[in-house]
Amino acid sequence: MNLNAISSTWAPRLLSVLRIVAGVLFLEHGTQKLFGFPVRMGGGAAPALFTLFWFAAVLEIVGGALIILGLFTRPVAFILSGQMAFAYFIAHAPKSQFPALNGGDAAILFCFLFLYLAAAGAGPWSLDAQRRGRF
């Protein structure tokens, strides 16, 4: 069993799988904020139009969809990485210095996952790869 051969075959594919799963989870955060689906614990109304929370939801929905499709992955992932860094320091860090206590662990993971996608690209199963003729 040659692990290098397996790695070179599966690493690009798993990059695409990672991108798709992250995009679905991120999109879900946006739909929850903007449309209340899935229903939030404790309920809550949709954010007021053109507030920071509203812009975050729109970025999560549009950005999540583009990440799922693998379209414009590098610039979109870079923007979403910045959004998550901003969200962490604005919404989570003031509550506690420990991410497990301030609820910011997902924001940190999304931030660095999107930063990785900005550098690595979308992988072979993406519209970016198809546009470049590498599907």
Side-chain angles (χ1 to χ4, degrees), residues 15-121:
L15 170 61
S16 293
V17 172
L18 176 67
R19 185 200 80 245
I20 293 165
V21 170
V24 168
L25 292 173
F26 205 64
L27 176 81
E28 184 178 291
H29 280 276
T31 60
Q32 187 177 44
K33 283 182 183 92
L34 205 55
F35 306 123
F37 180 81
V39 177
R40 287 177 283 224
M41 290 180 61
L49 199 61
F50 301 119
T51 61
L52 279 178
F53 205 59
W54 182 86
F55 279 112
V58 170
L59 276 172
E60 289 165 5
I61 291 170
V62 174
L66 290 170
I67 292 291
I68 291 167
L69 296 170
L71 184 62
F72 309 118
T73 302
R74 290 178 194 267
V76 169
F78 186 76
I79 291 166
L80 297 180
S81 177
Q83 177 199 359
M84 287 293 92
F86 182 78
Y88 180 79
F89 287 108
I90 294 299
H92 300 285
K95 296 177 187 174
S96 170
Q97 66 183 24
F98 301 105
L101 298 177
N102 67 26
D105 39 1
I108 293 169
L109 284 171
F110 274 125
C111 176
F112 284 95
L113 188 146
F114 289 136
L115 189 60
Y116 172 70
L117 289 177

